[in-house]
Amino acid sequence: MAKAKVPRATTKRLPIYYRYLNILHDQNVSRVSSSKFAKAVQIDPATIRRDFSYFGALGKRGYGYDVNQLLRFFKKILHQDHLVNVALIGVGNFGHALLNFNFHQDSNVRIAAAFDIKPDIINTVQSDVPVYSMKDLVSQLREQQIDVVILTVPAKAAQNVCNLAIKGGAKGILNFTPVRLASPANVRIQNVDLTNELQTLIYFVKRYD
Amino acid sequence: MAKAKVPRATTKRLPIYYRYLNILHDQNVSRVSSSKFAKAVQIDPATIRRDFSYFGALGKRGYGYDVNQLLRFFKKILHQDHLVNVALIGVGNFGHALLNFNFHQDSNVRIAAAFDIKPDIINTVQSDVPVYSMKDLVSQLREQQIDVVILTVPAKAAQNVCNLAIKGGAKGILNFTPVRLASPANVRIQNVDLTNELQTLIYFVKRYD
């Protein structure tokens, strides 16, 4: 498969496609029309065709999509065909919730290690995940070969912990802190700012009141 | 102020600008150069100028930005000048974490009511928020005039609860479920899919390994 540059917007839709294909598969549906597919995922058919085109032609005119073929395809694209271990750094309220939150219910992601500075939870198991001391962050990430981390530390610690994670080999950081992290070009930071999401929503609702 | 159509991408950056202006204000900084501002928020200066232009000219060439003026301005734009009450529907693991999570630490948002179906938490107070029965969702949203809700119910209940919230007057829904909700055109659904975010990040990390 050619490694063409895939737009970020396309990439963000891939898990949506994948999830719906799984639902269809569970319902023993083997073929789906492009219009039904579009309606279910709430993305217009032209966008879907364009998205799919980055990975080669995946539909046939007048036939629709072959569910099993697409599913195998996206499984590979999204690395769902093997388990991905990630680490969670910062076991506060929100971090704890993410440990409980079942990422791998319909995905292949597993939180394999958590890190914190609180002595009372270091060396305990929280929601089936071992909690290590922050002092061991670099060595544990290296030893467990974890290159994707979830950052849920307080804002004031964010950049420092981010630097340590990168030293430990992190190449991807899902950043739940409000801090805009500085990082080398080969490390991808994905920001999830829940306050921001809520404020944006409120802005739209109040603006068009 | 003219209600020009502001792009969604611009809107999502407004809270980032607002947050950084607050930090400057707390540091008693009254004026910031456009290049320093750009570097801190990690958005290029041309984009910032274009974003600001939707709301009228806010910077002066060779002067930079007036922190207090901008802050007053964004406070109004983002409705930070008065408290916005929202409701949280579904007090499971993740819902509970959001109740604990301090949305209004540097925002004006307050979760004023929560809803669930579990008898053992109905009519209790969780993290300072009263929990009501799901049966009272429509009447309580109307009575408390809440039009923004956070949806953290199980996927299979999502559409049904969404319909009830809309019946109760919801105009904005922050959707943490993986379900793509159907809704009338005047209701805004904002999807936050954490599994999706993590999968997208992994896709990028593994693709460029």
Side-chain angles (χ1 to χ4, degrees), chain B:
Chain B
M1 184 180 51
K3 290 215 172 184
K5 177 92 180 139
V6 177
R8 188 179 156 79
T10 294
T11 309
K12 292 203 84 167
R13 286 187 289 267
L14 298 182
I16 298 169
Y17 299 145
Y18 179 67
R19 180 167 290 146
Y20 180 60
L21 288 165
N22 264 309
I23 292 169
L24 289 174
H25 181 258
D26 289 348
Q27 293 168 347
N28 293 313
V29 176
S30 62
R31 180 175 150 180
V32 62
S33 71
S34 57
S35 60
K36 191 188 167 193
F37 192 85
K39 195 162 175 236
V41 295
Q42 291 182 24
I43 296 167
D44 73 281
T47 302
I48 295 175
R49 272 195 300 276
R50 198 175 58 243
D51 284 351
F52 283 11
S53 74
Y54 289 106
F55 307 100
L58 295 168
K60 285 176 206 142
R61 191 174 294 270
Y63 176 87
Y65 298 113
D66 181 316
V67 173
N68 290 319
Q69 191 197 329
L70 273 180
L71 201 53
R72 278 195 303 275
F73 191 80
F74 281 110
K75 192 173 267 187
K76 206 168 151 61
I77 292 277
L78 289 169
H79 292 267
Q80 296 291 311
D81 50 350
H82 53 266
L83 190 70
V84 177
N85 286 325
V86 306
L88 181 132
I89 314 178
V91 191
N93 275 326
F94 193 73
H96 225 143
L98 291 186
L99 290 183
N100 273 314
F101 180 70
N102 206 344
F103 273 112
H104 64 126
Q105 194 165 14
D106 50 1
S107 84
N108 66 329
V109 181
R110 190 177 73 109
I111 300 177
F115 296 88
D116 205 282
I117 56 167
K118 293 185 288 293
D120 57 320
I121 62 163
I122 291 170
N123 294 327
T124 67
V125 174
Q126 304 284 329
S127 307
D128 297 330
V129 179
V131 181
Y132 299 88
S133 165
M134 198 70 91
K135 285 182 196 145
D136 300 326
L137 179 61
V138 175
S139 62
Q140 279 297 327
L141 290 182
R142 285 182 185 165
E143 192 174 312
Q144 301 192 35
Q145 299 184 9
I146 292 175
D147 57 5
V148 174
V149 303
I150 301 167
L151 199 62
T152 47
V153 296
K156 63 180 190 297
Q159 184 64 60
N160 187 31
V161 171
C162 165
N163 297 345
L164 286 174
I166 291 169
K167 197 175 166 196
K171 291 279 182 291
I173 298 175
L174 192 62
N175 176 30
F176 281 95
T177 81
V179 178
R180 310 293 279 181
L181 299 166
S183 68
N186 68 331
V187 175
R188 186 174 185 92
I189 310 278
Q190 192 144 322
N191 297 306
V192 182
D193 188 328
L194 299 181
T195 303
N196 192 334
E197 295 283 347
L198 196 51
Q199 284 183 347
T200 305
L201 178 63
I202 289 167
Y203 168 83
F204 276 105
V205 169
K206 302 300 177 188
R207 186 175 172 88
Y208 298 108
D209 237 4

